[in-house]
Amino acid sequence: MEPQCKRRKASESETVAWDVFPVLSDEQSQDAELLEAYAAPIINKKETSRLVKELASIYPLPGVQHIKRVRACKDSGSLNPLEVIVCLVRDVQPIPNNKDLSISALLPSDRVDISGLGKPFLVKVPAYPPLTRPQFEQASRHWPTSFHEDKRVTVALKGQLFTADQKAKMQKFMTAAVMAAKAGRALGMDAVGAVIVDPQTERVLATGHDCRGGANPLHHAVMVCIDLVARGQGGGAYKFDRYPTCQFSVPTSSPHQSRTVISPSVDLLGLDQAEQSWVPYICTGYDLYVTREPCVMCAMALVHSRIGRVFYGVASEDGALGTKYKIHTQKDLNHHFEVFKGVLEQECEELKQDGALIK
Amino acid sequence: MGTETDDNPADHRNTFQPSSEEIEHWMQKAFDMAKEALENGEVPVGCLMVYNNEVLGRGRNEVNETKNATRHAEMVALDHVLQWCHQENRNSKEVFKETVLYVTVEPCIMCAGALRLLNIPLVVYGCRNERFGGCGSVLNVPADELPRTGAPFKCISGFRSEEAVELLKLFYKQENPNAPKPKARKD
Ligand SMILES: [Zn+2]
Ligand SMILES: [Zn+2]
């Protein structure tokens, strides 16, 4: 059943058969929202700066400062090579009939020399500054916009954020999670496995599988691993000794000598149970590898534990790190982290399929 | 009296509803617990799991002693119910279906997820938890469309909420944020 030769091959070769992509916020992943605007050709190119200045004084376009006021006409053979945004449709009284659309209907002739502008027309402009290159490219098809590119996001969206060497290590850790999932499945648990790793030392601090078939239905693999990390640091609420695969190791001298961190100044109405003077943020800076996307309980447990990054193999139906929620980017929460999916996708997908067959 | 939110008319478990006297009674106990915690210098949150007029779970925050940031009062109380079921040889699934959580502060997103996974039918809470609340404040886990995460549950919110907030304010005042408790540490 276990393709021995295949596994060896994967660890030896530097190339891996999967891609890893970031799970971005809704703002970063949604399609560019568009607004309607009136644009007009600039009849004499030399008048451009005067027209832009005068238009800006009448219609300063608040809230859409990212759009470029003037664009080069798409049709290169055009008589008027430049076009300018006059105003947003929402800035003026509704003009129900396109035939009634004229420059004088949009602009007071006493404040602009409207003879410099041709017949206006409707365009769509991006409502918000683009956050990612795909959004920028999409928005630019409608009207030029400025874009402050986060190069890291661009590279990540191409699946190229990690080097082959890094991916080989990720594969090693996810393989450990897959093995744990299989060990759990052999005990009648859901086939989900997880490991928590200190990326500084590359040590696996906790390995766990789903234990919900045991004494506690809340012992999802992630909850098991969080408690095992606590156990490795002298805490922990449970004993998982009867599950030989669920293991912890004591962190070796880590840069954070004590992982107990002083909480930021306590907000009077903060009502955070976890935020007393001393709180064990035990997973600060650590990476979690889990075979499938965590549920809402587990995702929020990772926020409370201040996890550094999460890598998962495949999405799950009620997943809370991308599918149903994006807890890691949730605005009101006080800790955010990066989430990546696709690591060892095929093997993780197979675990899910097996689970479905059992049920 | 609190206000009801999030009714799921399709949910047959809506028929499960304690009387207002019962709610009053158990919330009084939860507030007593919160005050007791305050007197002991602990987070003033009272949290009770009640089944068939019996308290099966009574949680206090155990984050510090376990070094596990998920050990919120609700999670601890849920474990007590599981232990009770184990001792009494009862089917925990059946017990949870008729167990009510009474808590002075809105459960966080994680705890709301846990309550939902266990099919708790009703949560009665005091004040909102603006930073982490999973029952309406930040997210609405009990009402959202999550077919693989247990069953939706009902919430009765705002029960003596000013009092619950007041207790927390008192706690943070005595816990002067500028002077964190000194900790034995050899640097
Ligand atoms: Zn989970
Ligand atoms: Zn909680």
Side-chain angles (χ1 to χ4, degrees):
Chain A
M1 197 181 110
E2 194 55 45
Q4 278 286 345
C5 49
K6 195 177 144 202
R7 237 194 318 154
R8 202 178 310 123
K9 210 171 117 199
S11 59
E12 276 168 8
S13 77
E14 292 288 286
T15 52
V16 292
W18 43 268
D19 288 310
V20 60
F21 293 103
V23 180
L24 301 177
S25 67
D26 285 340
E27 291 76 21
Q28 289 169 303
S29 23
Q30 71 204 0
D31 285 347
E33 205 176 303
L34 300 170
L35 287 174
E36 288 199 308
Y38 292 117
I42 294 173
I43 289 166
N44 184 353
K45 216 169 135 183
K46 289 187 181 130
E47 286 193 284
T48 303
S49 69
R50 172 189 68 84
L51 283 164
V52 166
K53 212 193 245 170
E54 287 176 4
L55 285 171
S57 74
I58 301 165
Y59 295 116
L61 309 184
V64 286
Q65 296 297 328
H66 54 280
I67 60 173
K68 305 262 166 93
R69 194 91 199 197
V70 177
R71 75 170 175 190
C73 186
K74 276 182 183 166
D75 178 6
S76 53
S78 167
L79 261 108
N80 306 306
L82 294 180
E83 293 168 344
V84 63
I85 296 287
V86 179
C87 60
L88 299 178
V89 168
R90 68 182 183 202
D91 290 339
V92 291
Q93 292 291 322
I95 300 166
N97 194 333
N98 210 32
K99 269 185 247 153
D100 302 331
L101 181 57
S102 65
I103 270 299
S104 54
L106 300 176
L107 288 169
S109 52
D110 54 327
R111 289 177 63 191
V112 195
D113 176 8
I114 57 172
S115 65
L117 292 167
K119 185 169 166 49
F121 54 94
L122 264 177
V123 289
K124 289 201 163 79
V125 299
Y128 302 105
L131 300 170
T132 64
R133 182 150 280 275
Q135 282 181 346
F136 170 64
E137 284 165 1
Q138 198 195 11
S140 302
R141 283 200 285 275
H142 297 278
W143 193 271
T145 171
S146 59
F147 174 43
H148 301 288
E149 183 166 21
D150 182 335
K151 288 266 165 53
R152 209 173 154 264
V153 171
T154 304
V155 173
L157 280 169
K158 288 187 196 155
Q160 295 169 352
L161 189 60
F162 299 102
T163 63
D165 193 39
Q166 286 171 318
K167 283 177 81 180
K169 278 171 191 155
M170 286 154 71
Q171 172 144 322
K172 188 183 88 183
F173 294 131
M174 191 61 93
T175 301
V178 170
M179 300 304 263
K182 287 179 179 170
R185 185 178 60 192
L187 297 170
M189 311 295 180
D190 265 15
V192 188
V195 297
I196 290 179
V197 179
D198 182 347
Q200 305 275 315
T201 60
E202 293 179 14
R203 255 174 85 98
V204 174
L205 299 175
T207 307
H209 55 69
D210 185 279
C211 296
R212 78 186 81 173
N216 192 326
L218 299 180
H219 282 166
H220 295 187
V222 171
M223 301 300 274
V224 170
C225 275
I226 289 173
D227 198 61
L228 286 168
V229 171
R231 185 106 185 269
Q233 292 170 27
Y238 302 102
K239 294 247 187 304
F240 294 104
D241 302 351
R242 86 191 103 136
Y243 305 120
T245 309
C246 295
Q247 288 183 350
F248 63 91
S249 68
V250 181
T252 46
S253 61
S254 105
H256 324 265
Q257 195 43 268
S258 162
R259 302 199 62 83
T260 306
V261 181
I262 302 175
S263 73
S265 66
V266 177
D267 169 8
L268 265 188
L269 289 176
L271 314 183
D272 176 8
Q273 290 189 45
E275 227 158 330
Q276 303 161 61
S277 297
W278 295 91
V279 183
Y281 294 149
I282 45 156
C283 294
T284 301
Y286 293 165
D287 290 344
L288 168 78
Y289 291 83
V290 57
T291 54
R292 71 177 187 213
E293 185 187 358
C295 75
V296 65
M297 170 184 72
C298 292
M300 192 61 195
L302 292 166
V303 173
H304 288 314
S305 304
R306 304 292 195 272
I307 195 77
R309 295 182 297 184
V310 172
F311 299 88
Y312 63 79
V314 285
S316 52
E317 204 184 324
D318 276 2
L321 297 180
T323 303
K324 282 291 162 73
Y325 303 113
K326 290 176 173 173
I327 300 272
H328 60 297
T329 68
Q330 185 74 35
K331 282 259 160 55
D332 311 289
L333 298 179
N334 61 351
H335 176 67
H336 298 120
F337 49 89
E338 290 183 334
V339 173
F340 298 91
K341 69 171 173 185
V343 182
L344 221 56
E345 191 173 24
Q346 178 84 39
E347 285 80 351
C348 293
E349 184 60 42
E350 279 164 17
L351 288 173
K352 249 174 93 179
Q353 300 300 330
D354 294 353
L357 281 177
I358 290 163
K359 277 172 192 162
Chain B
M1 217 12 247
T3 48
E4 290 193 16
T5 54
D6 146 48
D7 36 343
N8 302 290
D11 188 358
H12 69 280
R13 297 176 319 138
N14 264 2
T15 52
F16 181 83
Q17 171 83 51
S19 69
S20 52
E21 289 78 25
E22 283 175 275
I23 291 175
E24 200 89 31
H25 173 77
W26 294 117
M27 280 306 276
Q28 178 59 48
K29 295 261 185 246
F31 272 97
D32 291 347
M33 215 180 139
K35 283 174 203 157
E36 204 182 295
L38 183 69
E39 280 157 22
N40 294 328
E42 294 171 18
V43 197
V45 174
C47 167
L48 297 174
M49 308 261 356
V50 177
Y51 168 74
N52 198 12
N53 266 312
E54 194 184 337
V55 178
L56 299 190
R58 197 184 277 273
R60 43 175 282 282
N61 184 299
E62 292 180 0
V63 165
N64 282 335
E65 52 264 56
T66 60
K67 299 193 179 184
N68 179 336
T70 72
R71 299 304 291 160
H72 288 186
E74 297 91 329
M75 301 298 273
V76 174
L78 286 170
D79 278 359
H80 291 172
V81 178
L82 283 166
Q83 277 156 20
W84 181 88
C85 292
H86 189 70
Q87 276 159 18
E88 302 292 314
N89 209 7
R90 298 287 296 268
N91 181 338
S92 63
K93 273 189 189 147
E94 297 304 317
V95 171
F96 280 125
K97 270 187 205 159
E98 293 176 17
T99 297
V100 176
L101 168 67
Y102 296 94
V103 59
T104 53
V105 182
E106 177 188 355
C108 78
I109 292 165
M110 172 189 72
C111 293
L115 292 160
R116 187 172 163 143
L117 283 163
L118 295 175
N119 297 323
I120 295 284
L122 175 67
V123 171
V124 182
Y125 68 81
C127 62
R128 285 161 64 88
N129 179 344
E130 298 292 348
R131 293 176 67 196
F132 295 100
C135 302
S137 293
V138 177
L139 291 179
N140 198 344
V141 175
D144 282 342
E145 177 67 25
L146 299 165
R148 303 294 295 269
T149 310
F153 60 85
K154 211 169 138 173
C155 290
I156 297 175
S157 62
F159 191 98
R160 286 161 65 178
S161 69
E162 296 82 4
E163 196 181 335
V165 172
E166 207 47 51
L167 285 170
L168 287 158
K169 277 189 186 168
L170 281 168
F171 173 74
Y172 288 121
K173 228 177 268 171
Q174 82 187 22
E175 178 103 339
N176 181 358
N178 299 320
K181 270 183 236 145
K183 191 167 177 271
R185 193 206 268 178
K186 284 155 194 96
D187 283 324

